[in-house]
Amino acid sequence: MIAQDLLAALQGVNSEVAERESADWPSFNCPIDSLVDVLKALRDNHGYDMLVDATGIDNGVEASPRFTVVYHLLSTSNHVYIRVAADCLDSENPVAPSAVSLWPAADWHEREAYDMFGIKYENHPDLRRILMWDSYPYHPLRKDFPLAGHEEDLWDEEIREETGTKVIPAPMAGGPFVSSSSSFEADKEPRAKDESWSEEKEKPDA
Amino acid sequence: MVSSNADIGYNSKVEGGVIVSKADAVINWIRTHSLWPMPMGLACCAIELMASGASKFDISRFGAEVMRFSPRQSDVMIVAGTVTYKMAPIVRRIYDQMAEPKWVIAMGACASSGGMYRSYATLQGVDRIVPVDVYVSGCPPRPEALLDALIKLQDKVRTETSAKDLLKIKS
């Protein structure tokens, strides 16, 4: 078993490495302070030479630990994937070590996780937002961020004054718009979850 | 067959190489048939915009084949695709850099209204940031729809008081 051998080997790096529940590939939980050491061991000693994805998880506003960082690795010689997760210690200002020193590919992935979740990566060479504009004050994939967004000023001051346009919460009109799980293709057209109101019809008072 | 209307049309022997017309009609005629687009391709609509320019649909039949990637040489900005709030001020800035007279076509659902992106990141219609002359429905619209929008825009250009605007005559 790949998972058992790996687990034993990784516990040599840090004894607290444990198996993580997974539906597909071997997956491990790792203490965040030895995350880089574990990733380095996987890369140098076990052939996991390619970083496929680095991302984050918001476990919920109440959850503790709230934020988890996840690294997906691939062995290009053995063609097997592996997943390593580490919980951030601080739920208010989550901090995680950067893997850019191991894989340059981690650069943009970690910038995206920083943009969307607000996870600060230590020793990252260029930790800026990658999708939202630099002055945006929120982290949109956090569980307490509404899909429609918040009202906000446009980032360009001149255009803001010229047009008077603001960033507005998107009109949801009964959304989000989802397709039903019905088996008929014709019924899978996405519809508003709450069809009691729309752009023409006011939302009924609760 | 010789048409009996031959004498009613332009006849150089009768008129001596002179055509009498209105300045508006001449200026609008010129403008109508050489609308140089600024291709503001932001998403998948831009693929249909490219198809409109390619041989099968050939937007040059309507005089709009000179896609200029410099706003200073463009007459009509075709906003093709989803405009995010991050991109919106840049779209406006490019519009501001275009020389007068200028027009805007909002191509597709996203540019017209935000389309299916009712989200925190998407501008809900490019008319919040630039004045739009023609909206094209579709997700994405077929090239025929864009050609139709161009013809609609040409109809609009034909009705403008170009001479008055050029000479800055106040009515």
Side-chain angles (χ1 to χ4, degrees), chain B residues 8-160:
Chain B
I8 298 172
Y10 171 71
N11 186 330
S12 61
K13 281 178 190 153
V14 177
E15 303 184 42
V18 176
I19 299 172
V20 180
S21 180
K22 290 197 295 182
D24 273 354
V26 174
I27 295 167
N28 288 344
W29 176 65
I30 294 165
R31 284 181 180 171
T32 304
H33 297 289
S34 72
L35 286 165
W36 289 13
M38 163 79 223
M40 197 73 223
L42 300 171
C44 34
C45 278
I47 305 296
E48 298 298 307
L49 175 61
M50 285 180 241
S52 312
S55 54
K56 196 158 187 174
F57 297 96
D58 194 7
I59 205 168
S60 73
R61 292 179 294 153
F62 306 94
E65 80 277 25
V66 191
M67 300 272 175
R68 289 283 122 163
F69 288 86
S70 162
R72 318 226 181 247
Q73 301 173 357
S74 310
D75 302 305
V76 50
M77 183 158 79
I78 302 176
V79 184
T82 320
V83 187
T84 60
Y85 282 117
K86 193 176 182 180
M87 193 65 186
I90 299 161
V91 172
R92 171 68 199 208
R93 206 165 277 275
I94 290 170
Y95 173 80
D96 285 341
Q97 286 170 2
M98 286 164 62
E100 294 274 1
K102 52 190 171 186
W103 299 274
V104 177
I105 295 175
M107 181 181 177
C110 291
S112 301
S113 71
M116 65 182 205
Y117 296 104
R118 294 183 189 232
S119 96
Y120 58 91
T122 308
L123 183 74
Q124 300 293 309
V126 75
D127 50 6
R128 288 170 179 273
I129 212 103
V130 291
V132 175
D133 294 285
V134 186
Y135 299 86
V136 191
S137 63
C139 184
R142 283 193 54 89
E144 294 97 317
L146 182 65
L147 296 180
D148 183 52
L150 184 71
I151 293 165
K152 289 268 194 318
L153 181 63
Q154 288 177 335
D155 289 344
K156 182 175 179 172
V157 174
R158 275 192 200 99
T159 63
E160 286 180 355

